[in-house]
Structures are given as structure tokens and as C-alpha cells.
Amino acid sequence: MNYSDSEFPWVHIETFGFEHCVPKTVIGCLLVDLRGVELDDPAAEAELAGRDGKDSDVIQHVMASRMAFTRIEQIVGQAKALLDCNARKNFTLRVLIGDDTGRTRAVVVGDAVAEILTARGIPTQVEHRHLDVDTPK
């Protein structure tokens, strides 16, 4: 299917923090849990603490993780497979990507997945649900 002719996004990525809530899901939704995945947590580094997944140093830190590209490609593959099923029914695919707070790893991975899908001709939009939510002390 040629998705690039579409006027609307075929994929809607939502990043979130499990400590806040899991977005309500529907049929055809892909839920990705990054807790426990081998991605370096910027919050564990003093110089990156308090910064979010839009910060270039945080992005570099997460993307330098040994499994970052492998995990991102897995998510892209899963999204593409679900999208092909959903497209026949004319559904937009929701991809929910969560980490602990929804401010770092989920944001970096969500943006990377969106960038790859867009580059492959699949219109994608991203919403970061908890990017601006303060982390509980």
C-alpha cells in the first residue's frame, strides 16, 4: 500500500510515563514498554538529570545504548505489520511508547520511530503526553 498519498497520518505515536497512567487502548494498538529494556537511562547520569528527551545530550545518551537501534527497528517492524492490517480497515495505528516518567527514553524512541516511518513514506505524528509533567520527588 502507498501511504505517502494520504492527507492524514497513518500512525499516531504517543509517548507516556507508566507512573502517570497508560493511555486507553483500542484494537490495533501497539503498546511498547521500555522499562527494563537495555536503553541507558539519562536520569541515572548526574549531568543529564532533569533534562528531557528533546535535549541533544539526552538523545545521544539513549541512542548510544547497545540495543537502541535494534529495539527501534523492532518497533518499526511491528508498527508496519499492524499498519498493513489496519490500513485495509482504514484505521490509524496508535503506537504507545512508555518508560517510567515519559520524559526521556520514550520521547527519544518515539521520535526516532516517527522519523524512520516518515522517511519510509508513512505519514506519522507524535504526541508526548508527559514531556512537560514534573517528575514526583
Side-chain angles (χ1 to χ4, degrees):
M1 176 166 230
N2 183 2
Y3 300 101
S4 59
D5 292 338
S6 177
E7 298 175 12
F8 63 94
W10 277 93
V11 179
H12 180 83
I13 296 173
E14 295 175 51
T15 66
F16 70 96
F18 278 96
E19 68 184 31
H20 303 292
C21 70
V22 176
K24 292 184 180 181
T25 59
V26 293
I27 295 172
C29 180
L30 174 61
L31 175 62
V32 179
D33 185 351
L34 295 179
R35 299 172 299 171
V37 172
E38 292 183 35
L39 293 176
D40 295 336
D41 187 356
E45 301 296 324
E47 67 273 4
L48 299 176
R51 292 155 89 178
D52 64 46
K54 292 293 190 179
D55 182 283
S56 61
D57 291 335
V58 170
I59 294 167
Q60 287 178 342
H61 183 79
V62 173
M63 296 304 285
S65 302
R66 188 174 64 81
M67 295 299 294
F69 290 100
T70 300
R71 186 64 183 127
I72 289 166
E73 276 298 325
Q74 287 172 340
I75 297 166
V76 168
Q78 291 168 327
K80 179 74 170 78
L82 280 173
L83 180 60
D84 289 341
C85 288
N86 287 344
R88 292 186 202 112
K89 299 174 184 127
N90 208 26
F91 290 148
T92 299
L93 172 65
R94 284 179 67 212
V95 179
L96 308 176
I97 301 176
D99 63 16
D100 295 314
T101 65
R103 298 191 69 245
T104 56
R105 294 169 293 167
V107 172
V108 172
V109 170
D111 285 344
V113 169
E115 187 176 324
I116 292 168
L117 290 172
T118 299
R120 293 182 183 174
I122 301 170
T124 304
Q125 69 183 114
V126 182
E127 174 186 356
H128 300 296
R129 297 173 69 88
H130 299 125
L131 182 63
D132 297 324
V133 175
D134 288 332
T135 305
K137 306 288 187 235

